[in-house]
């Protein structure tokens, strides 16, 4: 129910760091698929929450003309999703790659019903991060953020609005494409439609070249995406007064950190100057999972 118990506490659950084989695969391909990360019960619960949001937005005329919903700030708009942001089956992938000084900077709920036919040409291919892809000068650009995509519908065949990506493209700064987004253009070489079952999660490097595809099937596509980055990078989601929400107190300290509510709100804290009051650092320390590769600034 909206505004009531929203979080799934991870206390008492096991956190398993990314394995060396997963790391090798992630470094090589730029993404991992985690089959069955959510149980069928969880899929049912999170689906129901997303469907409720969809109905609410429909009632106030906020769906796109094709009746799709692409809604930023996932937890603000659907607090029942808070249990996904540190889901024990996949959150360890995030801190294994980025360390403990992280937050969710960009998230979205996506509902895509069947389209009557292919949409007019539009070049959707991109790397995440917006102007990071103009303003960072290295080649390849640094990773900086990763994303978890939680699949709540059956996208086990192509043509169902699959996430499309180019494996191994995360170290390529430039993808040849049309001079204007609305020009018809062939799919890039090597592009694959990712096939997933409800409850699967895709974990990807923000730099991987990716695009949503059209859902031409009768199965409404439903997914929730959470992007994580370092706390010294600004949050794109709306988080300004989340702490005033009635459900905020029910979140765990790590969930609050991920939603911008850790420390004293100062820039110093965001820079990671006080690991002792940074919940994810504390949690990893308590579980003896701190990576010596991410030491505090002043030992
Ligand atoms: O919805 C999709 O399949 C793609 C999502 C996307 O482009 C993104 O997460 O940046």
């Amino acid at each position: 129910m909206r505004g009531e118990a929203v979080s799934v506490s991870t206390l008492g659950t096991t956190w398993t760091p990314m394995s060396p084989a997963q790391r090798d695969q992630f470094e090589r391909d730029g993404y991992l698929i985690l089959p069955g990360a959510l149980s069928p019960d969880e899929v049912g619960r999170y689906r129901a929450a997303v469907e409720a949001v969809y109905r609410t937005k429909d009632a106030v005329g906020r769906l796109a003309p094709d009746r799709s919903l692409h809604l930023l700030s996932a937890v603000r708009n659907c607090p029942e999703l808070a249990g996904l942001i540190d889901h024990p089956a996949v959150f360890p992938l995030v801190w294994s790659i980025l360390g403990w000084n992280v937050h969710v900077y960009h998230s979205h709920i996506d509902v895509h019903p069947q389209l009557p036919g292919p949409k007019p040409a539009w070049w959707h291919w991109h790397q995440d991060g917006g102007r990071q892809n103009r303003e960072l000068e290295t080649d390849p650009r640094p990773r900086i953020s990763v994303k978890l995509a939680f699949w709540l519908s059956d996208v086990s065949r192509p043509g169902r609005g699959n996430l499309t990506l180019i494996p191994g493209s995360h170290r390529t700064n430039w993808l040849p494409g049309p001079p204007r987004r609305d020009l018809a253009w062939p799919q890039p070489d090597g592009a694959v439609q990712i096939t997933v079952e409800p409850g699967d999660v895709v974990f990807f490097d923000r730099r991987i070249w990716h695009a949503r595809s059209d859902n031409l099937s009768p199965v409404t596509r439903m997914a929730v995406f959470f992007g994580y980055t370092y706390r010294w990078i600004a949050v794109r989601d709306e988080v300004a007064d989340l702490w005033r929400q009635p459900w905020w107190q029910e979140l765990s300290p790590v969930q609050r950190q991920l939603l911008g509510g850790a420390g004293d709100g100062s820039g110093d804290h965001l820079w990671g100057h006080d690991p002792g009051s940074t919940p994810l650092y504390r949690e990893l320390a308590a579980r003896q999972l701190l990576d010596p590769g991410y030491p505090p600034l002043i030992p």
Side-chain angles (χ1 to χ4, degrees):
M1 194 178 296
R2 308 301 304 281
E4 292 194 355
V6 295
S7 70
V8 177
S9 171
T10 60
L11 289 180
T13 58
T14 306
W15 282 9
T16 307
M18 180 180 246
S19 70
Q22 284 177 318
R23 194 178 287 273
D24 285 351
Q25 191 179 338
F26 186 67
E27 294 292 354
R28 185 191 67 212
D29 298 342
Y31 73 104
L32 295 174
I33 300 176
L34 294 309
L38 301 183
S39 69
D41 279 358
E42 288 176 303
V43 171
R45 187 152 45 85
Y46 290 122
R47 247 192 97 97
V50 169
E51 281 167 353
V53 171
Y54 184 82
R55 283 194 297 274
T56 305
K57 295 297 175 191
D58 189 14
V60 295
R62 292 286 307 279
L63 301 184
D66 63 8
R67 298 195 53 72
S68 67
L69 177 68
H70 175 65
L71 184 62
L72 302 190
S73 306
V75 173
R76 167 179 291 276
N77 283 299
C78 187
E80 294 89 340
L81 299 177
L84 292 179
I85 63 177
D86 63 340
H87 194 287
V90 286
F91 182 53
L93 301 172
V94 173
W95 51 256
S96 291
I97 292 293
L98 294 180
W100 48 268
N101 195 36
V102 294
H103 54 192
V104 172
Y105 78 126
H106 171 47
S107 61
H108 38 103
I109 296 170
D110 288 273
V111 181
H112 286 83
Q114 181 174 26
L115 291 166
K119 291 176 86 164
W122 190 260
W123 185 254
H124 286 287
W125 288 91
H126 65 283
Q127 297 177 301
D128 281 346
R131 293 204 61 81
Q132 290 175 5
N133 300 306
R134 290 284 179 279
E135 292 163 0
L136 293 170
E137 72 274 23
T138 58
D139 190 352
R141 286 182 281 267
R143 179 156 41 210
I144 297 182
S145 78
V146 292
K147 216 166 193 180
L148 290 172
F150 291 87
W151 296 91
L152 302 177
S153 66
D154 181 342
V155 194
S156 59
R157 295 184 212 165
R160 294 190 169 185
N162 309 56
L163 170 65
T164 309
L165 52 75
I166 308 172
S169 62
H170 52 301
R171 294 208 174 84
T172 303
N173 273 4
W174 185 250
L175 181 69
R180 282 200 339 254
R181 283 194 182 267
D182 60 354
L183 289 182
W185 205 261
Q187 288 290 297
D189 287 346
V192 294
Q193 290 199 19
I194 299 295
T195 52
V196 279
E197 303 276 352
D200 292 356
V201 170
V202 180
F203 176 62
F204 59 98
D205 184 316
R206 71 152 191 103
R207 302 168 298 178
I208 201 162
W209 287 91
H210 62 283
R212 190 183 311 131
S213 58
D214 288 349
N215 181 13
L216 301 172
S217 81
V219 183
T220 295
R221 184 192 100 139
M222 212 174 282
V224 184
F225 291 75
F226 291 101
Y228 300 79
T229 196
Y230 302 111
R231 291 171 70 229
W232 38 265
I233 292 178
V235 174
R236 179 179 173 191
D237 276 356
E238 260 184 79
V239 288
D241 60 351
L242 275 190
W243 60 274
R244 290 180 199 272
Q245 304 301 317
W247 43 265
W248 181 257
Q249 291 309 321
E250 295 168 34
L251 302 182
S252 70
V254 168
Q255 289 170 336
R256 285 188 215 147
Q257 170 181 329
L258 295 176
L259 294 174
D264 56 8
S266 70
D268 265 3
H269 205 279
L270 294 170
W271 274 31
H273 285 192
D274 190 359
S277 63
T278 305
L280 184 53
Y281 182 92
R282 291 168 62 93
E283 184 81 36
L284 292 171
R287 294 169 182 260
Q288 299 188 314
L289 287 171
L290 277 177
D291 180 344
Y294 290 97
L297 288 169
I298 304 166

